[in-house]
Amino acid sequence: MFLGYDTVRLWIPYSGDTRPGAEYWEQAQRLGCRIGHDKKGRQLATLPLGNIQAAFMAGGLSVRGSLARYAQGENLSGILPGDVPDVLAELSGRLEANLMQAKATRIDAALSVEVRNPVREYLGMLGSMPRKAKSTSGDTVYYQTKKRGKVLAFYDKGAEMQAKGKIHPGHWLRYELRLSKPGESLGGAVTGADLAEGWPLERMAAMMWKEYKAITKQDTMKAPTGIRTAGEGKAYCHGVLMRKALQTGELGDLVEMVRNYNPGMASKELYRMRKALEKEAAGYGADSELANELDGIFSQALGVEVPG
């Protein structure tokens, strides 16, 4: 798959326009917008265009939604810069506004890649990241800095699509870079015309590779160099069980091992348990193999040359 644009927010301010603001409200009524008020009690006119939400509000016109879903019916892949003019031209016609001149106040770049193993294995591998807070919500892993308006998101796109009744065979890992301050992050204001030119997507691709490489890859399946006490053995046993449950959803014979675990077991038995756990851990493959797989997939999709 390829990197493309997904959700964007475009903004056309009333200031600087030759028409008075009142004409926008007339336009909104003519287009059949729903007239209401926002949370602060200000007048608001909204017009849903498929999955795109247009809103005439105090100060300007806001257009927000997934360009990919609007153009393709789904967003397993984003849209390329060359597709932007047609999409924005159609929306511009329906809104009687020139979205090519609109300012982008949010840009999401999205990449869906097919991986060999269940997506949860790759998500479980992702560790910490310098200067960014890691969090999880459901099956999604986030890295973000609130002040800079930059969010990285990794999740199971195939599962999301399946929940919506759209089946895509295989395991699909989604990687998104969401910029809520694109002008600051990309080094200058971005317009609809810039999205079509493609330079914002090129810069976001380089940013996504750099950010991905900065994430530590947890080797949590690797057995420790030595388990010396029953307490350490018990803690390690629980750790392996949790990891195995995340990866396969099955606990197998290790459940019985924990159930019958005796805190006072002899060192000989503790050693046997350690060897059994090491054998189990080795059976699920090293995390480095998953990391190498993602390195190759992301480098190719993001146009990065990786030294051999």
Side-chain angles (χ1 to χ4, degrees):
M1 299 298 286
F2 52 82
L3 180 69
Y5 298 118
D6 191 17
T7 297
V8 302
R9 181 175 184 263
L10 300 173
W11 174 254
I12 299 179
Y14 297 154
S15 60
D17 196 289
T18 56
R19 299 181 297 170
E23 289 193 19
Y24 281 93
W25 298 114
E26 295 175 4
Q27 177 183 351
Q29 291 176 326
R30 186 173 65 255
L31 293 172
C33 294
R34 293 194 295 262
I35 307 299
H37 295 83
D38 63 16
K39 294 180 180 180
K40 295 184 178 180
R42 297 172 299 190
Q43 192 174 18
L44 178 71
T46 58
L47 179 65
L49 303 172
N51 68 289
I52 300 292
Q53 184 73 20
F56 294 86
M57 59 183 68
L61 168 63
S62 168
V63 180
R64 183 184 185 280
S66 169
L67 297 183
R69 190 176 291 122
Y70 180 82
Q72 303 165 170
E74 63 177 36
N75 66 339
L76 180 63
S77 61
I79 65 168
L80 294 173
D83 300 319
V84 170
D86 288 341
V87 177
L88 293 190
E90 182 177 329
L91 288 170
S92 295
R94 298 178 71 177
L95 292 169
E96 299 179 5
N98 187 353
L99 294 181
M100 290 292 278
Q101 295 180 359
K103 179 182 178 181
T105 58
R106 172 177 170 172
I107 307 173
D108 291 4
L111 174 65
S112 297
V113 297
E114 188 172 11
V115 290
R116 291 196 297 264
N117 302 306
V119 171
R120 58 180 173 267
E121 296 187 24
Y122 301 86
L123 298 181
M125 175 192 69
L126 300 175
S128 61
M129 186 178 185
R131 298 180 297 280
K132 285 185 176 60
K134 177 186 177 183
S135 62
T136 58
S137 177
D139 296 327
T140 303
V141 178
Y142 296 100
Y143 298 89
Q144 57 189 318
T145 54
K146 293 183 178 179
K147 291 184 178 180
R148 295 187 178 182
K150 181 189 300 183
V151 177
L152 308 178
F154 298 84
Y155 60 95
D156 190 335
K157 187 63 176 179
E160 181 192 75
M161 300 291 286
Q162 185 172 356
K164 296 178 180 179
K166 298 180 179 180
I167 309 300
H168 290 274
H171 306 297
W172 291 93
L173 171 65
R174 179 76 154 201
Y175 177 20
E176 295 179 0
L177 170 59
R178 306 170 183 173
L179 300 180
S180 58
K181 299 178 181 178
E184 180 179 325
S185 299
L186 299 175
V190 181
T191 65
D194 291 323
L195 296 178
E197 266 187 43
W199 66 261
L201 194 63
E202 292 177 3
R203 294 184 187 181
M204 293 178 78
M207 196 179 299
M208 289 173 74
W209 174 253
K210 181 179 179 181
E211 300 285 16
Y212 162 73
K213 291 299 290 181
I215 299 172
T216 59
K217 310 304 186 292
Q218 300 178 135
D219 193 13
T220 52
M221 289 300 292
K222 184 177 180 180
T225 54
I227 298 177
R228 295 177 296 278
T229 67
E232 290 177 358
K234 184 177 180 180
Y236 178 54
C237 188
H238 278 292
V240 171
L241 280 172
M242 289 175 65
R243 179 59 183 271
K244 185 178 179 183
L246 286 172
Q247 290 184 331
T248 67
E250 300 175 359
L251 300 183
D253 294 338
L254 286 179
V255 173
E256 199 64 28
M257 185 182 295
V258 172
R259 186 177 295 121
N260 298 328
Y261 181 81
N262 179 359
M265 69 166 58
S267 57
K268 184 177 181 180
E269 293 301 316
L270 181 60
Y271 175 78
R272 289 177 179 174
M273 186 186 75
R274 174 192 168 211
K275 300 304 292 185
L277 290 172
E278 288 177 349
K279 183 178 180 180
E280 285 289 335
Y284 288 92
D287 282 338
S288 59
E289 295 178 6
L290 301 180
N292 290 338
E293 180 189 352
L294 278 191
D295 284 356
I297 293 174
F298 284 159
S299 64
Q300 182 176 7
L302 298 173
V304 179
E305 291 188 11
V306 180

